[in-house]
Amino acid sequence: MWFSRRIRQIGATTASAAVFAMTLAGCSDEGAPDPGGAPPDQAGATSAAAAPGRTPSPTRSYALSEEPATIPSVRAHQAARGPGWSRTGDSGVVVAKGSEALSDEGRLLAQELKLTYRGAVAARAGDVELALAGDGAAESYTLTTGGGRVRITGPDEAGVFYGTRTLKQAVRSGGSMPEGVVRDRPDRPQRGLNLDIARKHFTAGWIEDRLREMADLKLNQLGLHFSDDQAFRIQSDSHPEVVSEQHLTKDEVRRILALADRLHITVFGEIDSPGHLGAVLRAHPQLQLRNTQGVPRQGAIDISQPDAARIVDDLLREYTALFPGAWFHVGADEYQALTVSNPAASYPQLAQAARQKYGAGATIEDLAEGWLNDRAAVVREARKTPKAWNDGFFSGGKVTADKGIEVEYWTGKEIGARQPGEYLAEGRRVVNLNDEFLYYVLGEPNQFTYPTGRRIYEQWTPLVLRGTEAVPEKYSAQILGGRFAVWCDLANAQTQDQVAAGIRRPLQATAQKLWDPRQPERSWQSFEQLAQKLG
């Protein structure tokens, strides 16, 4: 990054002098990189003009190129002298021989830039070529501009796709792709959006529009929270009785998944339990958790009953089969049995079940932790990695949550709250959904306020898991990334269109900091101007 910044500083301070010297004195610019093999007149030097005793002939000269203007910004740009790349009537998109797997990426880019897609043929002047090449980090890419061409290479299809996003944004923001070489990669492997479609019904078309926006921001993960107290929003074959009137059909979900796959976004679902199961319990009231006075607890299932696990596991097996991605979320947060002053006295059936299963001295927390492990095991049977919210992990009991469950850290406000460092010190892998910065809660209940892009851009990084304080850098490798989260507590507070507009800038800022958590070079004002230009 120092090299990138230094090149831009040199370009800013010496461009005019360099152009003047090269034009009038015919100096060769041997120090400027020419990665694309630009002809001498484009590189700003002519050997004939340098010959002793000859009058320099007029030449085209170029200042050092500037970094392409994109969101997220590229991590490194090696500047060069040249005209860059602009669309012409003859420009097309091609894929290199042996890289035919990139045909979808090539066709999409051609459509977006209004170019011709010519397939696996040799590149010619004005073309964009895509190729699988190199052994770099996953999702990385190199974009080389020179000689009137662009070549995008990467070790995998996702990396090349992200290179096409950089090219698309550069053309939109500046009209062309600057000369030089971009070398780029994400800082975190998980970068995304979490969407609560249980409390508020979002149409399939609206979700597909969000996927397209996410792809341009190089985000790669969409979590769908589709089951809660208010509704159950995806068609079910195993338990159709739990599904709400307004819901997504499985065909609509498959259409969403197909688009996400083309855009290199993994979509995973969440069935939250043992809390937040109100929609399921309305169809199965006999499983509702009740205290000694018979008073039900909202959304809480009675985990002492064998049928409680049976129905949740039915649903987990059905939807892990529907969602092909690498993860599935099992929730585990806010189990209401644990929010009363004396859980064992209020829910003696849970306390007894804990002792029967885990021995004398076992508590309701142990029973809940065992529930989490059992649901995670069902997810693993489907060859997926389970995720769970941080307040479903307890310490000091007889039962410990399996280390293979990814901790989705969102809050430190729960009873018995634990600092993020405790999870990390246990060797757990954590994903950042810090409710201080990344929670967009409709209607702003419970002291939530709508997050701003500026605050995320200037103050948040993946290490800031709770509140505003970062965890020690030594834990960085355990923090897998983060997601910006939309929660629809007061579902009618905003329309679909208002939600889309409200999250646009915060999501762009989140994408920037997940791709590169370092202090951005652009000011917030400059970032916002670029965001407006990119749409």
Side-chain angles (χ1 to χ4, degrees):
M1 190 63 181
W2 177 90
F3 179 78
S4 173
R5 291 176 179 172
R6 181 61 179 157
I7 284 292
R8 286 198 296 276
Q9 291 168 358
I10 293 171
T13 58
T14 67
S16 298
V19 170
F20 179 83
M22 286 186 293
T23 303
L24 297 185
C27 294
S28 64
D29 188 22
E30 296 175 354
D34 185 18
D41 63 315
Q42 292 182 352
T46 60
S47 58
R54 295 185 61 177
T55 302
S57 58
T59 62
R60 294 182 62 190
S61 301
Y62 301 95
L64 281 170
S65 60
E66 295 184 354
E67 179 180 290
T70 63
I71 297 175
S73 57
V74 301
R75 292 177 68 91
H77 175 246
Q78 183 178 350
R81 300 188 191 279
W85 177 88
S86 299
R87 295 172 290 189
T88 71
D90 296 327
S91 296
V93 178
V94 303
V95 297
K97 185 177 181 181
S99 297
E100 289 81 1
L102 296 171
S103 61
D104 283 349
E105 289 75 14
R107 287 191 179 91
L108 177 60
L109 181 65
Q111 176 187 345
E112 292 170 327
L113 297 185
K114 296 179 173 57
L115 304 176
T116 301
Y117 176 70
R118 299 205 312 276
V121 298
R124 63 192 188 193
D127 280 352
V128 178
E129 182 183 34
L130 311 181
L132 292 169
D135 56 356
E139 300 184 294
S140 66
Y141 69 93
T142 300
L143 189 157
T144 303
T145 307
R149 300 178 185 177
V150 172
R151 178 174 167 85
I152 303 172
T153 64
D156 52 30
E157 294 175 41
V160 175
F161 177 71
Y162 296 142
T164 68
R165 302 304 86 194
T166 293
L167 177 60
K168 175 186 175 181
Q169 287 198 23
V171 170
R172 182 176 294 178
S173 64
S176 64
M177 182 69 207
E179 198 88 1
V181 181
V182 169
R183 293 183 177 88
D184 207 9
R185 60 173 178 80
D187 187 74
R188 305 286 156 162
Q190 295 188 34
R191 311 176 303 279
L193 172 67
N194 206 75
L195 184 61
D196 172 12
I197 65 171
R199 294 179 177 93
K200 184 178 182 68
H201 175 64
F202 291 93
T203 64
W206 188 91
I207 296 171
E208 288 168 351
D209 286 342
R210 303 291 76 70
L211 287 172
R212 294 182 184 96
E213 289 182 7
M214 291 170 62
D216 280 356
L217 296 173
K218 303 182 177 76
L219 297 173
N220 65 359
Q221 198 177 74
L222 173 64
L224 293 179
H225 176 92
F226 65 89
S227 168
D228 212 302
D229 295 344
Q230 291 78 0
F232 192 102
R233 298 286 190 184
I234 296 179
Q235 173 188 349
S236 174
D237 299 319
S238 67
H239 288 281
E241 73 280 0
V242 308
V243 179
S244 302
E245 182 178 355
Q246 277 192 311
H247 65 270
L248 297 173
T249 67
K250 286 191 174 180
D251 283 344
E252 287 177 315
V253 172
R254 292 185 186 102
R255 194 179 80 198
I256 290 167
L257 293 170
L259 174 62
D261 184 61
R262 293 195 297 273
L263 299 176
H264 299 279
I265 296 171
T266 299
V267 183
F268 62 86
E270 177 190 354
I271 296 176
D272 200 348
S273 77
H276 294 279
L277 280 171
V280 172
L281 293 170
R282 277 194 294 275
H284 296 273
Q286 74 280 8
L287 299 178
Q288 180 93 45
L289 178 66
R290 298 175 184 274
N291 65 14
T292 53
Q293 285 76 44
V295 178
R297 290 298 302 211
Q298 181 181 2
I301 201 166
D302 187 342
I303 58 178
S304 69
Q305 297 191 47
D307 282 346
R310 204 168 292 130
I311 189 171
V312 172
D313 289 351
D314 285 347
L315 294 168
L316 286 173
R317 291 188 177 99
E318 178 176 3
Y319 293 102
T320 52
L322 177 63
F323 289 89
W327 302 274
F328 202 88
H329 207 303
V330 297
D333 64 311
E334 298 181 320
Y335 188 45
Q336 294 299 306
L338 297 173
T339 62
V340 297
S341 58
N342 190 337
S346 295
Y347 305 103
Q349 74 275 32
L350 298 182
Q352 181 181 0
R355 292 190 296 271
Q356 287 176 342
K357 190 168 185 178
Y358 299 112
T363 66
I364 295 176
E365 283 189 349
D366 291 314
L367 190 67
E369 201 82 307
W371 172 277
L372 169 60
N373 285 339
D374 291 344
R375 307 295 75 77
V378 174
V379 170
R380 281 203 195 85
E381 288 173 6
R383 299 184 178 180
K384 299 181 188 300
T385 298
K387 291 175 172 288
W389 300 112
N390 68 282
D391 51 326
F393 293 76
F394 307 110
S395 62
K398 285 180 169 290
V399 182
T400 301
D402 189 279
K403 290 289 183 64
I405 305 170
E406 292 181 0
V407 180
E408 304 260 300
Y409 196 96
W410 72 281
T411 188
K413 301 184 178 82
E414 75 275 15
I415 296 173
R418 301 166 62 200
Q419 289 290 338
E422 292 187 37
Y423 301 85
L424 295 163
E426 293 172 0
R428 299 187 183 277
R429 296 177 301 166
V430 177
V431 179
N432 192 325
L433 289 96
N434 183 341
D435 65 353
E436 174 81 14
F437 289 92
L438 305 180
Y439 262 38
Y440 190 95
V441 185
L442 297 198
E444 301 182 305
N446 303 319
Q447 300 182 317
F448 281 108
T449 58
Y450 292 128
T452 67
R454 180 170 189 166
R455 190 158 181 257
I456 296 167
Y457 188 76
E458 294 180 342
Q459 299 180 30
W460 180 82
T461 76
L463 297 183
V464 181
L465 284 163
R466 173 179 175 177
T468 59
E469 296 296 319
V471 299
E473 180 68 30
K474 66 181 181 179
Y475 294 125
S476 182
Q478 291 171 238
I479 301 173
L480 303 176
R483 294 194 310 283
F484 185 83
V486 177
W487 296 103
C488 303
D489 292 38
L490 300 176
N492 295 323
Q494 290 189 344
T495 65
Q496 285 191 141
D497 289 344
Q498 287 172 326
V499 173
I503 69 173
R504 184 164 294 121
R505 204 69 77 233
L507 190 61
Q508 290 167 325
T510 304
Q512 171 64 43
K513 301 303 282 289
L514 288 169
W515 190 265
D516 187 348
R518 295 172 296 183
Q519 187 68 30
E521 292 186 26
R522 288 184 181 276
S523 67
W524 169 251
Q525 291 76 14
S526 176
F527 181 88
E528 191 161 38
Q529 289 170 3
L530 174 58
Q532 291 170 353
K533 188 179 294 186
L534 292 174

